[in-house]
């Protein structure tokens, strides 16, 4: 694990950071529908899992900008930026109706990431334990698929005043709308390190990443 310490005096969001860590501690989240028609078609054509393909693109987007890789060390009151953040995905067990967190590592190489994340999922199916271990996985972000519903909105509560900076992303089932497959995606970030622009930018970047991913992979 590697990170750099951000100088809060020269941090480009200095005023906003101070306000939302001292005066008004809160988070901000958005839910929007993402057009995944081409990604779903590609996944089916290539015989790969749509879920893992989306998880790869999401991880790539969140690693593309420092604002999404921020962290807070409460022991020393330091703002930090990780070199890389990884997804915590989940396995749902039908028999117990419980989930097991799965710590997967992001790799910019798609095939490497896909193979490793798939192995992680298969291994997690063997247990029914919760196995959440944030202390040893500080630079992991939460990525959770709500497979039972194509929802319209989602809100996640965290303790008041808790400076948790890692992204939390949920997405639901896609559904057909006017001939396109639209999928609800919810992005939550701490307001101290992100505003409406940065949250909305996650959706814009996902849209941008889907196009070359499908186009380039289709020629392989």
């Amino acid at each position: 694990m590697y990170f750099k310490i951000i100088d809060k005096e020269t941090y480009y969001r200095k005023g906003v950071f101070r306000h939302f860590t001292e005066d008004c501690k809160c988070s901000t989240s958005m839910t929007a529908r993402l057009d995944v028609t081409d990604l779903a078609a590609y996944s089916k054509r290539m015989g790969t899992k749509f879920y893992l393909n989306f998880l790869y693109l999401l991880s790539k987007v969140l690693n593309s900008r420092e604002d999404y890789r921020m962290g807070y060390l409460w022991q020393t009151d330091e703002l930090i930026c990780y070199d890389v953040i990884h997804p915590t995905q989940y396995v749902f067990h039908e028999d117990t109706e419980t989930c097991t967190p799965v710590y997967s590592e992001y790799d910019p190489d798609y095939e490497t990431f896909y193979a490793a994340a798939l192995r992680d999922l298969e291994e997690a199916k063997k247990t029914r334990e919760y196995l959440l271990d944030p202390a040893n996985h500080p630079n992991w972000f939460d990525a959770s698929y709500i497979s039972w519903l194509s929802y319209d909105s989602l809100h996640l509560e965290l303790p008041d005043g808790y400076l948790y900076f890692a992204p939390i992303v949920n997405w639901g089932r896609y559904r057909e709308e006017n001939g396109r497959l639209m999928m609800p995606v919810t992005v939550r970030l701490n307001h101290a390190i992100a505003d409406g622009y940065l949250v909305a930018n996650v959706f814009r970047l996902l849209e941008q990443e889907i196009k070359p991913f499908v186009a380039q992979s289709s020629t392989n």
Side-chain angles (χ1 to χ4, degrees):
M1 178 188 64
Y2 298 96
F3 60 81
K4 67 179 181 180
I5 298 174
I6 303 296
D7 184 348
K8 287 185 282 190
E9 290 302 313
T10 58
Y11 179 38
Y12 87 104
R13 292 176 55 84
K14 174 184 176 181
V16 177
F17 182 84
R18 189 211 62 78
H19 177 63
F20 287 109
T21 57
E22 298 179 15
D23 306 329
C24 181
K25 298 178 181 179
C26 64
S27 61
T28 180
S29 65
M30 291 184 189
T31 297
R33 294 195 176 275
L34 192 68
D35 188 335
V36 295
T37 308
D38 295 338
L39 184 61
Y42 162 78
S43 302
K44 183 177 181 179
R45 183 172 65 253
M46 301 299 291
T48 54
K49 294 183 180 296
F50 170 89
Y51 161 80
L52 287 179
N53 290 339
F54 179 75
L55 185 66
Y56 167 75
L57 292 173
L58 174 64
S59 300
K60 183 177 182 180
V61 164
L62 293 180
N63 274 285
S64 68
R65 182 166 177 149
E66 287 191 353
D67 295 285
Y68 305 134
R69 307 197 308 268
M70 305 298 275
Y72 175 69
L73 303 181
W74 62 268
Q75 300 93 332
T76 54
D77 187 32
E78 289 178 309
L79 176 65
I80 63 173
C81 178
Y82 294 106
D83 290 346
V84 62
I85 57 176
H86 309 283
T88 305
Q89 49 177 327
Y90 291 84
V91 165
F92 180 76
H93 308 292
E94 296 284 352
D95 56 340
T96 59
E97 297 183 346
T98 59
C99 293
T100 296
V102 184
Y103 292 104
S104 295
E105 292 191 2
Y106 170 66
D107 193 297
D109 180 76
Y110 163 69
E111 293 185 357
T112 300
F113 173 85
Y114 187 98
L118 182 60
R119 287 196 300 269
D120 294 338
L121 287 175
E122 294 303 317
E123 188 64 26
K125 291 178 181 179
K126 301 176 183 178
T127 182
R128 296 297 182 271
E129 298 298 322
Y130 192 53
L131 300 177
L132 193 63
D133 184 24
N136 292 309
H137 299 83
N139 56 323
W140 265 255
F141 68 92
D142 197 90
S144 181
Y145 172 42
I146 302 174
S147 61
W148 310 276
L149 184 69
S150 181
Y151 61 84
D152 293 315
S153 65
L154 185 151
H155 182 66
L156 180 69
E157 294 282 355
L158 288 180
D160 289 343
Y162 185 51
L163 297 180
Y164 182 82
F165 291 165
I168 299 177
V169 183
N170 300 86
W171 62 98
R173 296 180 63 177
Y174 56 70
R175 70 186 184 201
E176 185 174 344
E177 297 179 11
N178 299 318
R180 306 296 293 180
L181 298 179
M182 307 300 294
M183 186 174 75
V185 180
T186 303
V187 178
R188 179 268 179 200
L189 288 165
N190 192 292
H191 212 337
I193 50 90
D195 51 22
Y197 169 79
L198 288 169
V199 178
N201 196 48
V202 174
F203 299 94
R204 297 170 60 220
L205 291 173
L206 281 168
E207 291 174 341
Q208 294 173 16
E209 288 295 339
I210 287 175
K211 295 178 181 178
F213 174 80
V214 173
Q216 294 179 13
S217 300
S218 298
T219 62
N220 291 344

